[in-house]
Amino acid sequence: MNGWIKGAVGIACAGVLATAGMVIADAGAITVVPEQRPGHGPTGYVQPSAEILARGKYLTDMGDCVGCHKAEGGIPYAGGQYMGMPFGALSVPNITPDVDTGIGNWSDADFLKLMHHGITKGGQYIYPAMPYIWYATVSDEDTLAIKAYLFSLKPVYAPRPPSKIWFPFNLRPVLALYDAAFVPTEKFKPDPHLTAEQNHGAWIVNGLEHCGECHNNRNFLGNGALAAKVEGGPITLWYALNLHNNKVDGIGSWSDDEVAQWLHDGASEHMGTVAGPMAETIEYSLSKMSPADLHAMVAYLRTYPAEPGYTERAGISPGTRAAGQTVYLAHCAMCHQVDGRGVANKIPALDGNGMVRAYGPQSATRVILGGLEAHGSYAMMPGVGTAMTDQEISDVTNYIRQAWSNRAPANATRFLVYYLRGDTKTLLNGLRPDGCPPVENDTLKAALADESNGIAALLQQTALPNMLQNVNAIIPKLHAAAPSLQQADIVNGLTQAYCPIAYADKSVQPDKHVWLMTHFSERLYVQLSNNGTY
């Protein structure tokens, strides 16, 4: 999951306290550990029962541990990414059971101290980049089940790169004051006023799933655990949604089943398609949870008061509305429709969309700039903002936030767009010509590596004149080679694989390569949808 830490002795101390609790990870600051090879685990290790390991894996997924402890293209849990922060970059450690570079020589007491108090085996205070403030409420038994699962993994020798934290923020003993103020001293206790299902949801939401790490607003010390609950707020230059049970900017307009399905899939006709930190949380954590647990989360969220984050109002000038509508009709209406209702199961609606209706415009603006991967049955969205000015993007953002039934604040500015544009680097916005992301899906990667099926050769030969022909030839070959692949995995993965081919195409003008990739992904999505196989 991604996030920000939001300043000498007294001032430095206050600065550490004010900022350390907000960091999670910055996807723009990822690196791979240079040396990464098989390690060796603890001597005399005895593997626990299958039941404990299964419980430990489920809880580890719930805690979203791999989301941080895996570098792009790296080995899960071996660490290797840097978490970008305003006062430097924090490296993420290896938590495989390697005795030299991981946690293979950690005792149960060592692991509990880390998870519940944020203190390492060597007695060093860690930054709340790791959400131990939330993990502190989890029972010792469940916490040690997580350790049991991690110790069952293959040990990987992956030394932790040095962190790059500026003075005085690298004075970790100061964090003891932060911990004394914010780390819970008691484990989770059921609320007698809630049902069993609601209490189970509270255990998940306020514990391992640590939803408030993003969705709680922040108090003046930068901590979200003691602030108001899941009312939404800015996080990693995105805006986390209000999860209160209201119909303005919360989840009050949607059924329990739809909210639970959205948490699992990350896409819904009415709630839209997730992006940013939430997309990562769903990929690594929520999508692996049981329907019963997801519904318990929803049941608990329904107990919050129906308090919107703002009062609905028409706050856009006629001139701005007209300018935004002009941009919308030129760049957006073809897919999202003039009435903002999208296309069922293909293009999410903007009318009533939670991301569009949020108090902060950051997420909607970043999607316009960077686009979205395909998700479930929903198509890939290109980074249409690449071809727009900052003023045009702020105008159209404010327009969709006020159009149709939406009445969100018209608070997007061209200065915000300028700031977000430099931070939004994706496959779909044309800002990665020197480094196309690798294919992430292992099944697709294997199919592309198998020369006998001819898929990679066809892809390599694909250009604009033969694009439709080659796409139609690739689809049946891929279905035969990897029938388990889902439509979204194919669209995203083949677009990733096509990226370097598009940038190497000499027949296309340099500023048109992203357009070529967009055209490829659109052709692929349409033909897959029409094919009906996926």
Side-chain angles (χ1 to χ4, degrees):
M1 183 182 297
N2 294 339
W4 280 87
I5 296 183
K6 284 216 192 195
V9 172
I11 296 177
C13 176
V16 170
L17 296 180
T19 59
M22 295 184 69
V23 64
I24 305 173
D26 180 0
I30 292 177
T31 187
V32 176
V33 178
E35 184 180 15
Q36 199 175 75
R37 55 181 171 80
H40 61 281
T43 303
Y45 167 71
V46 178
Q47 185 164 293
S49 67
E51 182 181 3
I52 291 177
L53 291 179
R55 175 70 172 169
K57 182 184 186 311
Y58 189 80
L59 296 174
T60 302
D61 289 338
M62 186 183 291
D64 195 16
C65 302
V66 75
C68 287
H69 293 274
K70 177 183 179 295
E72 184 176 357
I75 300 173
Y77 305 106
Q81 72 170 321
Y82 275 96
M83 295 180 170
M85 303 180 290
F87 51 79
L90 180 70
S91 67
V92 181
N94 174 5
I95 58 171
T96 72
D98 178 55
V99 296
D100 296 318
T101 65
I103 61 172
N105 61 355
W106 286 41
S107 68
D108 288 356
D110 294 332
F111 194 77
L112 290 171
K113 184 183 292 186
L114 177 80
M115 293 287 283
H116 294 162
H117 303 286
I119 302 174
T120 67
K121 174 181 173 63
Q124 186 180 53
Y125 287 90
I126 68 172
Y127 292 96
M130 174 178 167
Y132 60 86
I133 291 174
W134 305 88
Y135 297 165
T137 64
V138 181
S139 71
D140 290 0
E141 181 182 8
D142 282 341
T143 303
L144 292 178
I146 293 174
K147 176 178 178 284
Y149 170 69
L150 293 175
F151 267 56
S152 73
L153 301 174
K154 184 177 180 179
V156 178
Y157 182 88
R160 182 181 187 178
S163 292
K164 305 170 184 179
I165 308 298
W166 311 333
F167 177 84
F169 301 103
N170 59 351
L171 302 178
R172 294 194 183 218
V174 176
L175 293 171
L177 301 178
Y178 184 91
D179 292 355
F182 297 119
V183 177
T185 58
E186 296 182 345
K187 299 296 182 280
F188 172 80
K189 292 182 179 180
D191 185 335
H193 300 99
L194 301 181
T195 67
E197 183 183 37
Q198 291 167 342
N199 269 308
H200 185 61
W203 174 79
I204 297 171
V205 169
N206 296 324
L208 283 170
E209 199 59 60
H210 57 281
C211 301
E213 187 67 27
C214 290
H215 292 273
N216 281 10
N217 212 333
R218 305 285 168 174
N219 61 22
F220 74 102
L221 290 181
N223 177 265
L226 300 183
K229 303 297 185 180
V230 294
E231 78 280 37
I235 188 79
T236 59
L237 302 183
W238 294 81
Y239 196 91
L241 299 184
N242 184 342
L243 299 181
H244 285 190
N245 193 32
N246 74 85
K247 296 184 179 182
V248 176
D249 65 337
I251 61 173
S253 298
W254 305 300
S255 69
D256 291 356
D257 286 342
E258 185 171 14
V259 178
Q261 192 66 36
W262 182 78
L263 290 173
H264 184 271
D265 295 343
S268 162
E269 181 177 356
H270 300 106
M271 298 180 72
T273 303
V274 297
M278 188 64 182
E280 185 180 275
T281 300
I282 288 176
E283 177 183 0
Y284 291 125
S285 180
L286 290 168
S287 64
K288 302 178 185 302
M289 291 177 59
S290 69
D293 280 355
L294 293 174
H295 277 86
M297 292 176 66
V298 177
Y300 172 65
L301 293 174
R302 296 295 194 198
T303 67
Y304 281 101
E307 295 177 355
Y310 57 84
T311 300
E312 290 186 294
R313 58 190 180 275
I316 188 171
S317 68
T320 300
R321 175 179 287 276
Q325 184 178 43
T326 298
V327 177
Y328 181 81
L329 293 175
H331 294 275
C332 316
M334 182 174 68
C335 292
H336 292 286
Q337 308 301 304
V338 174
D339 59 7
R341 295 184 179 181
V343 179
N345 299 317
K346 290 181 172 60
I347 308 293
L350 299 181
D351 184 14
N353 186 298
M355 184 188 297
V356 175
R357 284 190 171 192
Y359 176 77
Q362 294 95 319
S363 295
T365 301
R366 290 188 70 139
V367 169
I368 293 171
L369 284 165
L372 285 172
E373 294 183 343
H375 214 107
S377 65
Y378 289 88
M380 179 179 280
M381 174 178 165
V384 293
T386 305
M388 300 183 199
T389 66
D390 293 348
Q391 187 63 58
E392 287 174 330
I393 294 176
S394 66
D395 286 344
V396 75
T397 301
N398 287 329
Y399 171 73
I400 63 174
R401 287 165 63 76
Q402 287 274 306
W404 317 296
S405 67
N406 299 337
R407 291 295 180 268
N411 51 6
T413 68
R414 62 187 178 89
F415 302 105
L416 174 67
V417 177
Y418 173 81
Y419 186 55
L420 295 179
R421 189 190 291 273
D423 189 72
T424 307
K425 299 174 177 63
T426 73
L427 172 68
L428 303 172
N429 70 355
L431 296 180
R432 296 195 63 166
D434 58 344
C436 294
V439 177
E440 297 177 354
N441 186 283
D442 290 335
T443 303
L444 179 58
K445 196 184 305 182
L448 290 171
D450 184 357
E451 296 181 1
S452 66
N453 58 43
I455 297 172
L458 277 170
L459 193 64
Q460 189 67 44
Q461 298 160 11
T462 299
L464 187 59
N466 66 359
M467 187 171 286
L468 182 59
Q469 172 186 336
N470 281 14
V471 163
N472 280 332
I474 287 172
I475 289 174
K477 290 179 178 291
L478 191 55
H479 176 64
S484 65
L485 280 175
Q486 300 298 306
Q487 177 173 291
D489 294 328
I490 296 173
V491 175
N492 295 330
L494 285 183
T495 303
Q496 290 167 336
Y498 188 62
C499 178
I501 299 169
Y503 276 108
D505 192 333
K506 303 298 184 182
S507 67
V508 180
Q509 297 177 9
D511 61 342
K512 295 295 185 182
H513 291 124
V514 68
W515 171 84
L516 186 62
M517 286 192 301
T518 298
H519 193 66
F520 173 80
S521 68
E522 289 175 347
R523 289 294 88 212
L524 185 61
Y525 174 80
V526 169
Q527 295 308 113
L528 284 168
S529 299
N530 292 340
N531 183 275
T533 303
Y534 293 90

